[in-house]
Amino acid sequence: MSAVDSAQIAGWARELGFGSAGVAGIDLAQAEPGLQEWLAQGWHGEMDYMARHGLRRARPAELVPGTLSVVMVTMDYAPKDPQWREHAWQTLASDERAYVSRYALGRDYHKVVRSRLQKLAERLTTVAGPLGFRVFCDSAPVLEVALAERAGLGWRGKHTLLLDRSRGSSFFLGTLYTSLPLAPDAPATDHCGSCERCLSACPTGAIVAPYRLDARRCISYLTIELAGPIPVELRPALGNRIYGCDDCQLVCPWNRYAQAAAVPDFAPRHALDSASLVELFDWSADQFDERMAGSAIRRIGHERWLRNIAVALGNVGEAGREAALQALRTRSDDPSPLVREHVLWAIERLEGGAAPT
């Protein structure tokens, strides 16, 4: 084994703004049946890349030949506001305001995590000598949660996200595949107990059973990954959520211990934590591209942005009804058939008519 150990790596990781780090081996054979079952159920929806890469996700050395060890890191993103969970619930209860998942309020995490993970890999190279490595953050077929469990960073919660007793689940995961043989850390153990708050809190019932998520019903999938129309029967459950969903994390008792972001990149931009639906619906394509530059939100594009907000406007209460209708009518002849259909649905819903099915 290498002279470098997990404790050293964790120390370097903290210097780079990561919350925790650990080492995992590359044997994920125990995770393969669960992955195969999930794909067989079709729960990945239109995320064809999940099926296309298949079991390569569970076989690091097939993705990057020569991989002998995996370094996993976490990076906290919770707002610095100690009452952030309460304020998130307040936003969700105010149907005229837009709700954006807390992880997406600031800079694109893919770039932040990967750039700092690259520096960690370079530090490792400096100490251990030349080695092969690749860094990932939601950017390759990698079983991040399974690897993080094996690296001792937490356990898979019943909502399928990684949970850590000292920081909840409000963090990103980064992955470093390396040819350096490292002693793995002890795997984490499950501490969900009998709690099932996340299952009952899911607005669309996407958590179909403990540790089982049907992405086709998940609001994060519907507002981000899904390219076409949002299923009509699920639209009312979206409420004012226009990008992602945090409900399963907000109710989780372990998120009482969520750590505030150690880096400034994740601070809210363009007041996305308090903006109104009407205000955001008014953004032109150019304004969207300019304001969302450097944000993870930009990848859904202006068309899906408007689609999502149209649904949210269709869900406003009586107090905001007239303002929502005025905003929707400005885009009733939008060039995009996708946007027009969702706008029509929202208008008919607000006017009390039979929404199209």
Side-chain angles (χ1 to χ4, degrees):
M1 289 290 181
S2 167
V4 179
D5 61 29
S6 180
Q8 286 177 291
I9 294 172
W12 300 335
R14 285 191 291 272
E15 292 173 6
L16 290 166
F18 293 110
S20 61
V23 175
I26 62 172
D27 182 3
L28 296 175
Q30 289 184 334
E32 290 188 6
L35 173 60
Q36 289 177 308
E37 178 192 356
W38 188 74
L39 292 170
Q41 293 281 357
W43 288 343
H44 58 296
E46 293 183 6
M47 295 183 290
D48 296 336
Y49 57 87
M50 298 293 296
R52 185 166 61 248
H53 295 296
L55 292 178
R56 290 184 74 191
R57 290 183 175 275
R59 300 172 182 178
E62 287 189 14
L63 179 65
V64 181
T67 298
L68 296 177
S69 305
V70 181
V71 176
M72 294 298 301
V73 297
T74 66
M75 180 172 281
D76 300 303
Y77 66 76
K80 293 188 179 297
D81 175 8
Q83 303 299 314
W84 70 274
R85 291 201 303 164
E86 289 78 3
H87 292 159
W89 284 124
Q90 289 169 11
T91 299
L92 286 167
S94 177
D95 57 15
E96 296 169 50
R97 290 169 61 188
Y99 189 86
V100 173
S101 184
R102 304 296 89 171
Y103 82 82
L105 294 173
R107 191 178 172 209
D108 187 344
Y109 69 94
H110 302 86
K111 300 175 181 177
V112 178
V113 174
R114 280 204 306 265
S115 65
R116 290 174 182 257
L117 200 50
Q118 181 74 21
K119 292 178 181 177
L120 179 61
E122 292 167 358
R123 178 71 177 271
L124 193 57
T125 301
T126 300
V127 175
L131 53 89
F133 68 83
R134 279 185 64 184
V135 301
F136 309 106
C137 180
D138 277 354
S139 55
V142 174
L143 284 185
E144 295 173 312
V145 174
L147 285 166
E149 278 188 296
R150 285 157 177 75
L153 300 187
W155 72 96
R156 183 187 295 273
K158 292 178 182 177
H159 49 21
T160 75
L161 303 172
L162 192 76
L163 276 169
D164 179 344
R165 286 192 293 179
S166 64
R167 53 180 26 90
S169 59
S170 299
F171 49 74
F172 304 115
L173 292 175
T175 307
L176 166 60
Y177 282 6
T178 175
S179 62
L180 189 66
L182 296 166
D185 287 291
T189 54
D190 191 310
H191 295 280
C192 282
S194 61
C195 178
E196 294 190 348
R197 295 185 194 182
C198 56
L199 278 76
S200 57
C202 181
T204 56
I207 308 173
V208 296
Y211 315 104
R212 295 288 184 269
L213 177 75
D214 184 347
R216 298 170 300 180
R217 300 185 64 85
C218 177
I219 292 176
S220 289
Y221 169 83
L222 296 170
T223 56
I224 300 171
E225 301 293 342
L226 183 65
I230 294 172
V232 172
E233 68 275 13
L234 296 178
R235 293 178 191 180
L238 267 63
N240 60 346
R241 301 166 186 84
I242 66 167
Y243 189 92
C245 179
D246 292 327
D247 290 41
C248 64
Q249 297 191 79
L250 294 174
V251 299
C252 178
W254 292 110
N255 267 318
R256 290 175 296 180
Y257 308 113
Q259 300 294 306
V263 298
D265 304 79
F266 306 131
R269 296 181 173 189
H270 303 290
L272 282 178
D273 58 340
S274 60
S276 73
L277 292 168
V278 169
E279 173 191 350
L280 298 181
F281 198 60
D282 189 50
W283 285 8
S284 68
D286 288 342
Q287 288 173 322
F288 173 83
D289 285 340
E290 177 187 354
R291 294 169 185 176
M292 293 296 97
S295 165
I297 298 174
R298 192 182 187 196
R299 78 180 183 92
I300 70 170
H302 188 240
E303 183 182 43
R304 277 190 253 178
W305 174 255
L306 294 179
R307 175 200 65 181
N308 296 347
I309 301 175
V311 171
L313 286 168
N315 290 329
V316 302
E318 186 60 31
R321 178 176 173 276
E322 286 307 316
L325 279 169
Q326 288 181 28
L328 287 162
R329 287 171 182 146
T330 66
R331 295 194 182 275
S332 60
D333 59 351
D334 192 272
S336 163
L338 181 70
V339 173
R340 289 200 308 272
E341 187 272 312
H342 287 75
V343 166
L344 175 61
W345 174 87
I347 290 174
E348 294 198 6
R349 179 171 166 80
L350 291 176
E351 289 180 340
T357 59

